[in-house]
Amino acid sequence: MTELGAVFRPQLAPERLRSVARIADDTGLDQLWLWEDCFREGGISTAAAALAWTENVRIGVGLLPVPLRNVAITAMEVASLHRMFPGRVIVSVGHGVQDWMGQVGARVESPVTLLREHLVALRALLGGERVTTEGRYVKLDDVALDWPPEGGGGGVLAGATGPRSLRLTGEAADGTILTAATNAEGVRKARQLIEEGRAAAGRGSGPHPVVVYLLTATGAGAPDRLRAELADEGLESVPDLGVAGDAGAVAKAVERLAEAGADTVVLQPTGDEPDPEGFVRFVAEEVRPLVP
């Protein structure tokens, strides 16, 4: 079955999260995703609050920018979430937006090297291992978590766009996050690159979930809002990107991505979505029943 989620976009004030999270929980939405975008809400703090306010919905953080974070701190925070809310936490890491990383003095010469080192160390720490490593960026001396999550917490996902990063997620991550700039053909190509990375690392067996965001507009003015957002992102020339319309149209767009290889499709409202709570209710109550 295709998992279905929605995004609480960080353009919304943090105090809006409680009502959105509770509606996601009450309506039976599979997943609610949060972003750690500079310079808006923190990913771990908002995830902890959303988990505490809800009982069943899984909370995803997509994603934590690794240049901002010492891997030991990331491991401590993620492990704490998994211990307090077992089975309900999905965490991903990534390069971060390089302009933002530059603004805070955290931009590195080789983002791919940093992400690889961070992933290897983070997965080991969450798996209960004692880690000593002297990498280009990640340096740990006899570090282990006192409270690692059971079973490693279900793994760490990584965000990726380019071919090198996509292969890396296959090599070193437990799943991959694709942006809303990915259409169905992009999902197919990403799957191929991920599998190349998995094969190169000897990780060909077992699941590797792929999560993709789908820019979605519904209700009054939906086509205009979708076009405007795609234009703002410079994506108006990408074919079959995003969807505007009713639940039937959205469900068909979700199915196209699932058929291309996505395991989870997360509906991403436009930045000017007038009713975030209503959007979550729409996803859970109208789209979910139409998606196999």
Side-chain angles (χ1 to χ4, degrees), residues 83-274:
R83 298 282 300 217
M84 292 187 290
F85 306 100
R88 295 183 54 214
V89 183
I90 311 165
V91 172
S92 65
V93 298
H95 302 306
V97 176
Q98 294 307 295
D99 287 347
W100 291 341
M101 299 304 100
Q103 281 183 269
V104 298
R107 189 167 185 167
V108 298
E109 186 177 0
S110 178
V112 172
T113 300
L114 171 57
L115 182 57
R116 176 181 282 107
E117 292 180 359
H118 196 104
L119 277 167
V120 170
L122 180 58
R123 292 176 67 236
L125 290 169
L126 292 174
E129 297 180 31
R130 184 169 296 277
V131 181
T132 295
T133 185
E134 185 72 21
R136 182 174 177 182
Y137 300 108
V138 174
K139 305 177 192 299
L140 298 173
D141 181 10
D142 196 34
V143 176
L145 297 177
D146 282 9
W147 298 104
E150 293 289 332
V156 179
L157 281 64
T161 52
R164 289 182 64 204
S165 296
L166 285 163
R167 290 190 185 95
L168 172 60
T169 67
E171 294 173 19
D174 299 297
T176 302
I177 309 283
L178 304 176
T179 72
T182 313
N183 59 15
E185 182 58 27
V187 173
R188 291 188 186 92
K189 291 178 179 177
R191 267 288 186 193
Q192 180 179 347
L193 292 164
I194 292 164
E195 292 306 318
E196 289 175 7
R198 281 161 58 83
R203 302 180 67 203
S205 61
H208 184 101
V210 170
V211 179
V212 61
Y213 294 111
L214 173 62
L215 187 60
T216 304
T218 190
D224 291 337
R225 288 191 286 113
L226 178 65
R227 281 193 295 270
E229 180 122 345
L230 290 172
D232 286 344
E233 297 294 329
L235 298 171
E236 64 269 35
S237 63
V238 180
D240 302 320
L241 201 61
V243 60
D246 61 11
V250 174
K252 288 178 181 177
V254 170
E255 289 183 38
R256 286 194 292 271
L257 294 173
E259 289 168 359
D263 299 287
T264 298
V265 180
V266 182
L267 304 191
Q268 175 182 320
T270 57
D272 60 354
E273 166 59 50

Side-chain angles (χ1 to χ4, degrees), residues 8 20 39 59 71 88 110 132 145 149 170 196 269 275 283:
F8 175 87
V20 172
F39 299 95
I59 302 296
V71 69
R88 295 183 54 214
S110 178
T132 295
L145 297 177
E196 289 175 7
D275 182 8
V283 176

